[in-house]
Amino acid sequence: PSSAQETGSVPVSPPMPTPKRQNKPAKAPKAQPLMLSGALKRFVLDSPHASADTKKATQRAVDLFLQAFGDAPVSIIGGEKAGTFRDLLFSLPASLGKRKSSLTLEEEAERAREEGLPTLSGKSVKNHMMRLSALWNQLHQRELVTRNPWTGWNFENGQKTVRRSWTTKELALLASASWHSTSVSEETFRQVKLIAAYSGMRLGEICTLRKEDLQSVDGIPCFLIRPHTETGWAPKTEAGTRIVPVHS
């Protein structure tokens, strides 16, 4: 056979193999921050260990925070925000939540200042802060936050609620005043006054009484203060579920 020199042909090198492309490892999806609303649902509302009272009170405290500042990751809520929330609570009217209102919390606080209305007591502010503190304790144990900003606050605001007994003249005026309401009858109002005067029950408890809540216990007529399954109404606290004897 002829050599390459004899034929003048040039040997052809075999083609180089194409290098394989390295597949980059897929990036893990970025973890979403735990929002305050999510923490409430996960650790309180969905918890089988939290009582109905705890769920209701914590929901109220968180709702007030959300109204004031909106939802936020729990990891960025610190002492500055906690202090601002505390100051706002002290400036809100004591009647907040007891009537319908379309005002923002800032507008409610401004209304209270302008009209000289009584504001939330130190006890009420402390209760809201303690509910948030309890939630944060759980977050801290799980290392979802680095510290609890809701502890160590002072709840003395200098305001003291002055309570006194009604005078005989005031009681006579209340009993004899004419009644002009069209939504509640005068007879109902009279019964509410009598029950309030002789039982010490809360107005909400009196106004939600049903016929079946008046029963005889050991021969004594009593009011049964208890949750209403058909409407979802419940006493303000667990200790509020009780039996109150009807005054003679």
Side-chain angles (χ1 to χ4, degrees):
S2 301
S3 66
Q5 289 179 338
E6 292 173 343
T7 60
S9 62
V10 179
V12 179
S13 301
M16 297 293 291
T18 304
K20 293 183 179 181
R21 298 178 65 182
Q22 297 293 327
N23 292 327
K24 294 183 178 180
K27 290 184 178 180
K30 190 175 181 180
Q32 295 297 316
L34 176 63
M35 307 297 284
L36 175 56
S37 59
L40 170 69
K41 184 176 187 302
R42 177 179 170 185
F43 298 114
V44 180
L45 301 183
D46 290 347
S47 171
H49 308 295
S51 66
D53 178 48
T54 296
K55 292 180 180 181
K56 182 178 178 181
T58 308
Q59 172 92 67
R60 176 61 175 156
V62 171
D63 282 348
L64 286 172
F65 185 94
L66 297 179
Q67 282 181 256
F69 308 112
D71 210 355
V74 292
S75 58
I76 68 170
I77 299 175
E80 180 182 2
K81 191 68 74 177
T84 303
F85 184 57
R86 169 192 172 278
D87 297 341
L88 174 62
L89 290 176
F90 270 122
S91 66
L92 294 174
S95 59
L96 186 73
K98 298 176 183 177
R99 59 178 183 79
K100 291 184 178 180
S101 174
S102 59
L103 300 178
T104 65
L105 293 185
E106 288 291 347
E107 291 170 339
E108 288 283 7
E110 182 63 29
R111 184 178 72 89
R113 282 191 293 270
E114 291 178 351
E115 300 179 17
L117 302 176
T119 54
L120 290 180
S121 66
K123 181 180 178 182
S124 295
V125 175
K126 181 180 181 180
N127 287 341
H128 288 314
M129 299 281 282
M130 285 179 62
R131 295 298 178 179
L132 290 167
S133 179
L135 173 58
W136 247 254
N137 282 340
Q138 294 194 61
L139 299 176
H140 189 255
Q141 286 179 325
R142 297 169 184 268
E143 298 184 350
L144 295 170
V145 295
T146 57
R147 60 181 293 267
N148 184 346
W150 303 100
T151 61
W153 294 97
N154 185 346
F155 300 103
E156 295 295 332
N157 63 348
Q159 295 183 356
K160 293 196 178 290
T161 303
V162 179
R163 301 184 185 277
R164 62 172 179 82
S165 300
W166 290 61
T167 66
T168 303
K169 184 177 180 181
E170 289 170 337
L171 289 171
L173 177 62
L174 179 66
S176 61
S178 57
W179 184 247
H180 304 288
S181 173
T182 55
S183 58
V184 178
S185 70
E186 185 172 1
E187 174 61 18
T188 296
F189 177 61
R190 188 179 72 84
Q191 296 288 354
V192 168
K193 286 189 297 183
L194 287 172
I195 297 173
Y198 289 102
S199 71
M201 292 163 55
R202 292 186 174 93
L203 280 179
E205 296 170 342
I206 298 172
C207 294
T208 52
L209 284 172
R210 306 160 298 180
K211 290 181 179 179
E212 58 265 34
D213 294 326
L214 182 59
Q215 296 185 18
S216 181
V217 179
D218 294 332
I220 301 172
C222 296
F223 296 117
L224 273 57
I225 314 302
R226 54 189 177 174
H228 298 181
T229 55
E230 70 277 10
T231 64
W233 180 88
K236 188 175 181 180
T237 64
E238 290 182 357
T241 300
R242 63 199 190 281
I243 298 174
V244 179
V246 177
H247 194 279
S248 57

